[in-house]
Structure formats: structure tokens, C-alpha cells
């Protein structure tokens, strides 16, 4: 079993509940609290975490709770500690600077434009290794990255994506007697898959993994695939006509068309919105009046599907909802008691709109517990 599997993570938490672990728990709490003593600094915070993990690894090896433990069990404990610490410190350490947020927005917006016209042939991907089914699987793995807080699990999303691509290349090379796939085949496919996936907060996720993943585990296969993904980010940010098998004038023309299409999509639509099937939205009738049921495009969206560029749309929709709610409240309050009862057909108090409530995220305390860390791990 993987030393970082959920079962072993909760084994680590269970050991932390043992009375003999009081000294370890005290050190963990003190470390978490220490982050509130100074402003966020990604490089300094990353080094601080790496040093603490090394210190705790030595302490755990000598601790009675791990007496006679194997190297794999010690490694499992440190992996559990990393996950616990970074889940607690996530809001402090992830996308912690304005520069990171801007870079996320920049790369996401550029990928949105490139999605309109970049094709495999523009990246010199040969036909025999083009496989939309495998690529879609790789895209889905990459799009899961924001579903997790632990650096290892974010990294695993990247590894799973790269493994799907690598397996495809190996299968093609064996079935067609091609030379073994190398970086010349792998990297262009990874670039194309990343453009198609447009992973959320791409830059911030890479930086987070680089700074907070245990350095002793960012080696071998993990280091190779992660380095390739960092190269993909740089390539996309600097991508121009010279980066593609495309004429410069054609590239500029495609970019302008994509920008116009993007601007058109963001423009408010005055006409009646249509349903997802293309048909006009259904109409319901209440109190003798026809009421159009509006379409809200994010109702069925999952967290991992949202992009930085969606913030503007979400803010606009939020304002519209608040304005409509406020107008509804004003209208209800302006009605006389008799009219309100006539409309409601019952006690008006049971039909008054509820006050909107915000739902602040429960940050939890610093106690070592499993209840505030329930998080599904990606498939290994």
C-alpha cells in the first residue's frame, strides 16, 4: 500500500491522539501558530516548512510511538504530517500574493484564446499518437488539481495526467514499431492536453507544489513530470507564432478572432436566454401571470471546473440576485397586510423571504483531528 494512502494518513492522526504524543502535538500547534506572526512570504514559508518536516522526521524516528517502525511507516507519518500542516495552512500559503493571482489570470485567459484555434498539427504532434480518448482522460486528471489541498495530492494529479500520456506513447511505439517515445513526443502532447484542460490556478498550483512538497519526494519520476509541467507553463506564457507551425499573420488573425469571440461571450445578452437544449426557456404561470425561468450557467458547475475568468461573471450574477432580492423585499414590505394574505393564501409570516445568510468557511482549530481533514485522495 502507498505510504501516503488515506488509511495511513488517518493512522497518523490516531497516533497523534495518543497521550504519549503530547510533545509532538505541541510542536505541530506551535508551528502552525507561528505563521500568524509575520506576513506571507512564499519562499520563506516554504523553507520554514521543509526545515520543520526534517526536524519532525528525526523526532518521530526517536519517538516511543514509532518504536521499531519501518522506514515505510516513518515515511507514512511524515506524509501525513505534511498533509495535515498544509491543509491547515492552505489559505495562508496558496496563491498568497497578488502577483500569483495575476499570473493565474494571465495564463488562463491566454489558454482560453488558444483553445479556439490551436490544433495538434500546430505542435507537430504526429497523427499516429493523436488519441482524443486518452487525451481526455489526461485532461480530467489535470482538472482535478484544485479539489485537493495537500501538495502531494496536487502533484499526483499532474503525475496521473503525465502517466496517461506516457502510456499512450508507449503503446503506440510498441504497436507500430516506432522508436521509443522521448521528450520530443511527450512534451508537445502535454502542452496540447494542458491547453485543452486549462487547469484552474495553474501557476499557483505549480508554485505551491514546488515550495511545499517534501523535497526528498520531489525526485525521479515525480521530478521529471513536474519539470515538464513547469516547462509547459513557460511555453504557453511565451507562446507566439514562432512557437507553432503556423504563419505569423495567421496566428495574429486567430488571436484577434479569439479575443473578439471572448469579448462577445462576456457581453450582456438582451434577448431571452435559451435552455441548454437550444429551446426557449420554459414558462411557468403563477397568480395568472407568465414568469420566465432564467438560466444560470453555473448552477451545475463543479468547483474544479471554474476558471479565474469566471469571477467577473459570478460577481455580475451575484449583484443581479442581490438587486432582485432587495426589490422583492421592498415590494413585499410595501404590500398591505390584507394584500399579502390574499397573495399568500396563508399566514404571511410563513411566506416572508428569509434573510440571506453568508456561510463563512469553518477554518477549524489547530487540534489534530480527522473530522476537519476529510478529503478524498486522488487515485494513485
Amino acid at each position: 500500500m502507498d505510504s501516503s494512502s488515506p488509511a495511513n494518513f488517518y493512522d497518523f492522526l490516531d497516533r497523534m491522539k495518543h497521550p504519549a504524543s503530547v510533545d509532538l502535538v505541541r510542536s505541530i500547534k506551535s508551528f502552525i501558530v507561528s505563521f500568524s506572526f509575520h506576513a506571507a512570504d512564499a519562499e520563506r514559508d516554504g523553507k520554514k516548512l521543509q526545515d520543520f518536516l526534517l526536524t519532525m522526521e528525526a523526532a518521530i524516528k526517536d519517538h516511543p510511538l514509532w518504536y521499531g517502525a519501518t522506514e515505510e511507516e516513518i515515511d507514512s507519518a511524515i506524509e501525513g504530517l505534511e498533509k495535515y500542516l498544509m491543509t491547515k495552512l492552505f489559505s495562508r500559503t496558496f496563491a498568497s500574493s497578488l502577483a500569483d493571482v495575476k499570473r493565474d489570470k494571465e495564463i488562463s485567459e491566454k489558454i482560453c484564446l488558444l483553445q479556439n484555434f490551436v490544433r495538434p498539427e500546430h505542435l507537430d504532434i504526429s497523427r499516429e499518437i493523436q488519441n482524443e480518448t486518452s487525451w481526455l482522460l489526461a485532461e480530467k486528471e489535470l482538472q482535478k488539481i484544485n479539489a485537493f489541498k495537500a501538495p502531494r495530492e496536487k502533484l499526483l494529479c499532474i503525475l496521473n495526467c503525465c502517466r496517461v500520456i506516457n502510456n499512450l506513447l508507449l503503446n503506440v511505439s510498441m504497436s507500430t514499431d516506432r522508436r521509443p517515445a522521448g521528450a520530443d513526443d511527450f512534451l508537445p502532447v502535454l502542452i496540447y492536453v494542458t491547453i485543452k484542460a486549462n487547469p484552474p490556478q495553474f501557476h499557483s498550483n505549480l508554485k505551491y507544489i514546488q515550495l511545499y512538497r517534501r523535497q526528498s519526494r520531489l525526485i525521479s519520476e515525480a521530478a521529471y513530470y513536474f519539470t515538464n509541467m513547469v516547462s509547459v507553463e513557460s511555453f504557453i506564457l511565451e507562446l507566439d507564432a514562432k512557437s507553432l507551425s503556423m504563419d505569423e499573420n495567421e496566428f495574429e488573425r486567430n488571436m484577434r478572432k479569439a479575443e473578439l469571440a471572448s469579448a462577445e461571450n462576456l457581453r450582456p445578452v438582451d434577448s431571452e436566454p435559451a435552455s441548454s437544449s437550444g429551446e426557449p426557456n420554459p414558462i411557468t404561470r403563477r397568480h395568472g401571470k407568465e414568469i420566465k425561468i432564467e438560466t444560470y450557467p453555473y448552477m451545475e458547475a463543479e468547483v474544479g471546473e471554474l476558471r479565474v475568468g469566471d469571477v467577473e461573471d459570478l460577481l455580475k450574477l451575484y449583484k443581479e440576485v442581490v438587486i432582485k432580492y432587495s426589490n422583492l423585499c421592498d415590494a413585499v414590505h410595501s404590500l398591505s397586510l390584507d394584500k399579502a394574505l390574499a397573495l399568500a393564501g396563508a399566514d404571511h409570516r410563513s411566506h416572508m423571504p428569509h434573510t440571506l445568510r453568508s456561510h463563512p468557511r469553518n477554518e477549524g482549530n489547530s487540534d489534530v483531528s480527522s473530522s476537519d481533514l476529510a478529503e478524498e485522495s486522488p487515485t494513485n
Side-chain angles (χ1 to χ4, degrees):
M1 182 182 291
D2 185 351
S3 63
S4 300
S5 68
N8 283 332
F9 171 63
Y10 288 110
D11 175 67
F12 163 76
L13 293 181
D14 287 340
R15 293 197 193 210
M16 289 295 98
K17 296 173 185 177
H18 194 283
S21 70
V22 62
D23 53 335
L24 298 178
V25 172
R26 187 180 297 113
S27 296
I28 293 170
K29 286 184 176 182
S30 296
F31 178 77
I32 292 172
V33 171
S34 70
F35 272 72
S36 63
F37 295 158
H38 55 79
D41 182 318
E43 298 294 333
R44 180 183 60 194
D45 291 346
K47 184 178 185 307
K48 185 175 178 180
L49 175 84
Q50 298 296 337
D51 291 344
F52 183 71
L53 289 176
L54 288 173
T55 300
M56 289 297 291
E57 183 173 1
I60 285 175
K61 283 180 178 179
D62 294 334
H63 200 277
L65 283 175
W66 277 271
Y67 177 77
T70 64
E71 286 296 322
E72 183 179 352
E73 289 170 330
I74 298 296
D75 183 68
S76 174
I78 305 305
E79 292 283 45
L81 176 60
E82 179 196 271
K83 176 172 179 174
Y84 179 76
L85 291 173
M86 296 316 300
T87 302
K88 286 291 187 181
L89 295 170
F90 184 76
S91 60
R92 151 75 182 232
T93 54
F94 184 78
S96 57
S97 72
L98 184 59
D100 291 338
V101 174
K102 287 182 177 179
R103 178 60 62 88
D104 285 332
K105 184 174 186 292
E106 177 187 357
I107 193 168
S108 178
E109 289 178 347
K110 186 166 186 179
I111 288 177
C112 282
L113 299 179
L114 296 173
Q115 286 176 333
N116 286 275
F117 63 90
V118 172
R119 300 292 178 263
E121 53 268 24
H122 297 140
L123 292 164
D124 298 325
I125 299 173
S126 59
R127 286 192 173 276
E128 55 262 38
I129 62 174
Q130 293 182 25
N131 187 312
E132 293 290 344
T133 302
S134 293
W135 290 355
L136 182 60
L137 290 175
E139 292 165 28
K140 293 299 183 183
E141 290 296 333
L142 202 51
Q143 289 169 340
K144 294 176 184 177
I145 198 165
N146 259 18
F148 308 101
K149 294 182 179 179
R152 177 194 172 274
E153 292 169 351
K154 286 180 176 292
L155 176 60
L156 193 53
C157 292
I158 292 175
L159 299 189
N160 286 341
C161 167
C162 292
R163 287 166 180 163
V164 170
I165 295 171
N166 193 53
N167 288 339
L168 166 65
L169 297 178
L170 288 175
N171 289 336
V172 171
S173 66
M174 288 189 294
S175 62
T176 61
D177 293 327
R178 294 175 81 247
R179 60 177 174 77
D184 290 343
D185 292 317
F186 176 79
L187 189 57
V189 175
L190 183 59
I191 291 169
Y192 185 73
V193 164
T194 303
I195 289 173
K196 295 289 286 183
N198 197 358
Q201 295 176 284
F202 187 35
H203 170 75
S204 289
N205 274 299
L206 294 181
K207 183 175 179 179
Y208 182 78
I209 293 168
Q210 189 171 36
L211 290 174
Y212 300 110
R213 177 63 179 139
R214 287 171 69 196
Q215 294 302 302
S216 62
R217 290 295 172 267
L218 200 53
I219 57 173
S220 188
E221 180 195 43
Y224 174 73
Y225 286 147
F226 181 74
T227 301
N228 272 275
M229 192 59 80
V230 172
S231 298
V232 169
E233 180 193 16
S234 298
F235 180 88
I236 291 174
L237 283 169
E238 299 169 7
L239 187 149
D240 55 20
K242 296 176 183 177
S243 310
L244 303 172
S245 295
M246 183 181 293
D247 176 74
E248 186 169 352
N249 291 331
E250 182 185 358
F251 177 81
E252 295 299 332
R253 213 166 36 245
N254 285 329
M255 286 295 282
R256 283 197 297 273
K257 285 173 61 178
E259 288 167 355
L260 288 172
S262 178
E264 187 68 27
N265 289 336
L266 292 175
R267 185 176 302 166
V269 180
D270 294 328
S271 59
E272 177 183 334
S275 66
S276 57
S277 63
E279 299 296 325
N281 280 318
I283 295 176
T284 187
R285 181 177 295 274
R286 291 185 182 176
H287 308 305
K289 296 182 179 179
E290 290 184 346
I291 301 174
K292 295 175 183 177
I293 301 176
E294 297 182 359
T295 299
Y296 292 96
Y298 298 98
M299 283 297 293
E300 302 298 327
E302 299 291 339
V303 173
E305 297 173 353
L306 297 179
R307 305 284 184 267
V308 174
D310 294 330
V311 172
E312 185 176 349
D313 287 343
L314 287 168
L315 180 60
K316 179 183 174 183
L317 289 170
Y318 169 78
K319 290 179 178 179
E320 290 177 358
V321 170
V322 171
I323 290 172
K324 289 177 180 178
Y325 175 78
S326 299
N327 290 339
L328 178 61
C329 286
D330 291 341
V332 170
H333 286 303
S334 67
L335 291 173
S336 67
L337 180 59
D338 290 340
K339 288 182 178 179
L341 288 173
L343 287 174
D347 185 354
H348 74 289
R349 287 173 297 180
S350 65
H351 292 271
M352 290 293 285
H354 294 289
T355 304
L356 285 176
R357 297 178 176 88
S358 61
H359 297 277
R361 182 167 56 87
N362 182 13
E363 297 291 347
N365 52 37
S366 298
D367 293 336
V368 180
S369 63
S370 58
S371 60
D372 60 347
L373 285 176
E375 180 181 15
E376 181 184 353
S377 296
T379 303
N380 192 17

